[in-house]
Amino acid sequence: MWAQGNQYLTAAVPQKLVAKRGASVEAKIAVSIQPGFHVNSNKPSADYLIPLSLKWEGGGALEPDGPPIFPKPQMEKYEFSEEPLSVFTGNFDLAAKFKVPAGASQGPGIMLGKLRYQACNSNSCFPPKTAEVRLSYQVQ
């Protein structure tokens, strides 16, 4: 099952998290970049490049616990850049850590994440896009 995506990037719906109050949990998000494309890493090699980012919207019982954990990027050389670029290609996982406050209410909920990226091929880059990531959870 896939979350929102488009012809460049898709993010799988993460497995439902089950968390206890006062505990920490981690969600893994499988990301797939279509063949022939790449996205800039979370720490691009040039200031003008748009990084891959994941931001969670508030309102749920889970609280983000630090920034998302990204895989090690690849350094790739493309026609449009004189220097190699820090990019992600193919399939990889992102990890997001959350804390469950001791006073969190029990029950189900959904966290909504925004995965922002800029996809490029070997010749050019496309306007930035945002894919939604819906993370279901159950607080016990």
Side-chain angles (χ1 to χ4, degrees), residues 32-77:
S32 179
I33 310 293
Q34 294 302 314
F37 295 92
H38 66 271
V39 298
N40 296 313
S41 76
N42 55 310
K43 294 182 179 169
S45 26
D47 290 342
Y48 65 90
L49 297 172
I50 295 169
L52 179 65
S53 65
L54 176 61
K55 294 195 169 107
W56 297 97
E57 295 186 349
L62 302 182
E63 296 176 355
D65 188 10
I69 301 164
F70 293 89
K72 183 178 183 198
Q74 301 150 268
M75 295 303 290
E76 300 277 345
K77 178 79 176 79

